[in-house]
Amino acid sequence: MSNRYAIVLAAGQGTRMKSKLYKVLHPVCGKPMVQHVVDQLINLDIKDIVTIIGHGADLVKSQLGKDSAYALQEEQLGTAHAALQAKDILADKDGVTIVVCGDTPLIRAETMEALFNHHEETKAKATILTAVASDPTGYGRIVRNESGLVEKIVEHKDATEAERTIAEINTGTYCFDNETLFAAIQNVSNNNSQGEYYLPDVIEILKNSNEVISAYQSEEFEETLGVNDRVALAEAERIMRKRITTAQMRNGVTLIDPANTYIDADVTIGQDTIIYPGTIISGLTTIGTDCQIGPNSEINNCEIGNNTVIRQSLAYDSSIGSEVNIGPFAHIRPQSEIGDEVKIGNFVEVKKAAFGRGSKASHLSYIGDAEVGSNVNIGCGSITVNYDGHNKHLTKIEDNVFIGCNSNLVAPVTVGKGAYVAAGSTITKDVPEEALSIARARQINKDQYVGKLKFKK
Ligand code: UD1
Ligand code: CA
């Protein structure tokens, strides 16, 4: 096997997206398109991956980080000009270079591997990954001669009526003999309808110098979809979503309605977990085994243990243990740590709060900026008063505490171990261990008083 290199074209603005966000950074199933491409390349045995950056260069760089080397294309003069920018890093290398567009997020490592292999077997100088499109509009077309050999690629905008009827398209992925690529690319002109230097023109240039050109047709068009606008973006999302849900099911996850379940590319879910419809699981979420999530729930960047149930609820940037019961209609906000066997029930909002093992806030509470020990019971309607209008303060509730219903814990405040707060209390001072604290007006009953009220008839 020869040395392998890769160039990812990602410098374009993506005008057709009509967006502030640079095209290759648009996410598909939660991950920017260009990251999908690079993640697939990383699975191959490639020595150098060079991403061509231009529009949004810094953002693309911070997205990909150390996954790639970079070459800057200062002006976007076309795909050939873009590839040429990798010259300083790659030009003198001996081997095969794959060129991929940063806007083809569905391309799989297996297909690129097959392309490399085909290229090497046919001893070609260039091999194009082609596909047959039911609607080839917008794509470059593969023009073949009578014997079926590739002559050239013609861009949609430059194609004749007859050429536009060709259904075989250029997917924008190619393998080149590396030195041949950089030699030929110098001869590409911008004499075409868009005034751009087209990388596909390298094919005709090599053909004219009698080099072997090969084509490898991918089995399904879907995988090579190029995303130029929001319509194609939604199409890519649909295809990727199906790919992800299928893989999750094959791994032993039950999806009640896969078409109505939205799981990001980097989510991990354990066996025998059941996901109900309308559930969105995003970011770097990990879910253990035997959980039940949904329906209609959102989980983003959470780490969840085993046997946990989350119903009709939201959870963000938090860790949630095993045997936890959340919802219905609970909201776990960022930086929360929900321990094992905890219950966060109906209409409870938790923010930046830690709950120890077995603690419960079962109904209608707000617990924010709090450290809750283990086996604590927080009664219905109780809240931590964490904000004084300027600063947030901490509420500490130690192990085995009982907070009676409808209590306010005005932070900063600590309720000591085993203490008992009477229902309806507004706690403004620390409560010692094992103490009973009652902080509410005393009840007065005035006998037979109702008859004396003036408004009473
Ligand atoms: C390109 C191909 C077309 C192919 C299609 C497949 C050319 C001229 N055409 O068309 O044959 O069918 O992809 O999806 O190559 N880019 C740069 N710098 C530039 C221009 C583009 O880095 O100066 C990058 C873009 O960011 C993008 C990629 O190259 O990721 C492709 O560019 P795009 O403008 O989307 O090309 P298409 O018109 O789709
Ligand atoms: Ca494109």
Side-chain angles (χ1 to χ4, degrees), residues 276-340:
Y276 291 91
T279 297
I280 304 172
I281 305 175
S282 54
L284 290 173
T285 293
T286 310
I287 300 175
T289 59
D290 302 285
C291 293
Q292 293 181 42
I293 314 285
N296 304 324
S297 295
E298 257 180 64
I299 316 284
N300 180 44
N301 288 325
C302 287
E303 200 178 311
I304 301 175
N306 304 323
N307 279 303
T308 283
V309 177
I310 301 181
R311 296 220 144 82
Q312 309 263 15
S313 292
L314 315 172
Y316 306 101
D317 305 296
S318 291
S319 72
I320 297 169
S322 293
E323 320 262 341
V324 171
N325 209 317
I326 292 177
F329 313 110
H331 187 181
I332 311 293
R333 291 171 50 199
Q335 298 182 56
S336 295
E337 290 168 37
I338 311 296
D340 295 344

Side-chain angles (χ1 to χ4, degrees), residues 65-307:
K66 290 190 163 52
D67 292 347
S68 175
Y70 302 93
L72 182 67
Q73 184 193 24
E74 280 178 26
E75 254 186 302
Q76 283 62 55
L77 303 178
T79 47
H81 179 255
L84 183 61
Q85 309 309 308
K87 196 173 81 176
D88 289 349
I89 305 178
L90 296 180
D92 58 353
K93 309 263 184 189
D94 176 40
V96 178
T97 296
I98 190 167
V99 179
V100 202
C101 294
D103 66 352
T104 53
L106 298 162
I107 188 104
R108 290 177 314 133
E110 291 88 327
T111 303
M112 293 190 278
E113 176 73 25
L115 179 69
F116 268 120
N117 293 339
H118 187 84
H119 179 83
E120 288 178 3
E121 282 157 20
T122 55
K123 300 195 163 54
K125 290 289 187 198
T127 305
I128 311 153
L129 180 67
T130 75
V132 174
S134 54
D135 177 10
T137 310
Y139 288 94
R141 309 297 208 283
I142 307 294
V143 179
R144 294 176 183 263
N145 65 19
E146 307 82 57
S147 18
L149 293 173
V150 177
E151 287 278 290
K152 60 174 180 175
I153 298 171
V154 56
E155 288 306 296
H156 181 91
K157 286 186 178 151
D158 301 291
T160 62
E161 280 302 313
E163 285 165 340
R164 285 186 183 180
T165 64
I166 299 172
E168 190 183 14
I169 59 116
N170 168 27
T171 65
T173 301
Y174 334 71
C175 278
F176 295 101
D177 171 76
N178 187 63
E179 284 164 345
T180 308
L181 170 67
F182 286 101
I185 224 169
Q186 317 267 8
N187 300 324
V188 173
S189 87
N190 64 352
N191 184 16
N192 53 52
S193 68
Q194 303 189 80
E196 286 185 5
Y197 296 90
Y198 294 162
L199 183 60
D201 285 359
V202 166
I203 300 300
E204 197 178 3
I205 291 169
L206 295 180
K207 185 77 200 172
N208 290 341
S209 44
N210 294 316
E211 301 288 9
V212 179
I213 308 296
S214 177
Y216 177 77
Q217 199 169 310
S218 103
E219 274 159 40
E220 38 174 319
F221 168 73
E222 278 198 337
E223 185 182 334
T224 61
L225 182 79
V227 174
N228 295 325
D229 60 20
R230 310 264 183 164
V231 176
L233 183 67
E235 183 70 358
E237 180 88 18
R238 182 187 65 79
I239 298 164
M240 183 68 80
R241 183 159 74 233
K242 177 141 193 239
R243 199 187 275 179
I244 293 168
T245 51
T246 303
Q248 293 288 1
M249 290 187 284
R250 296 228 186 277
N251 280 339
V253 178
T254 295
L255 304 182
I256 302 298
D257 181 3
N260 196 10
T261 305
Y262 307 81
I263 304 175
D264 272 4
D266 295 327
V267 168
T268 315
I269 308 177
Q271 278 183 19
D272 291 313
T273 283
I274 303 173
I275 314 286
Y276 291 91
T279 297
I280 304 172
I281 305 175
S282 54
L284 290 173
T285 293
T286 310
I287 300 175
T289 59
D290 302 285
C291 293
Q292 293 181 42
I293 314 285
N296 304 324
S297 295
E298 257 180 64
I299 316 284
N300 180 44
N301 288 325
C302 287
E303 200 178 311
I304 301 175
N306 304 323
N307 279 303

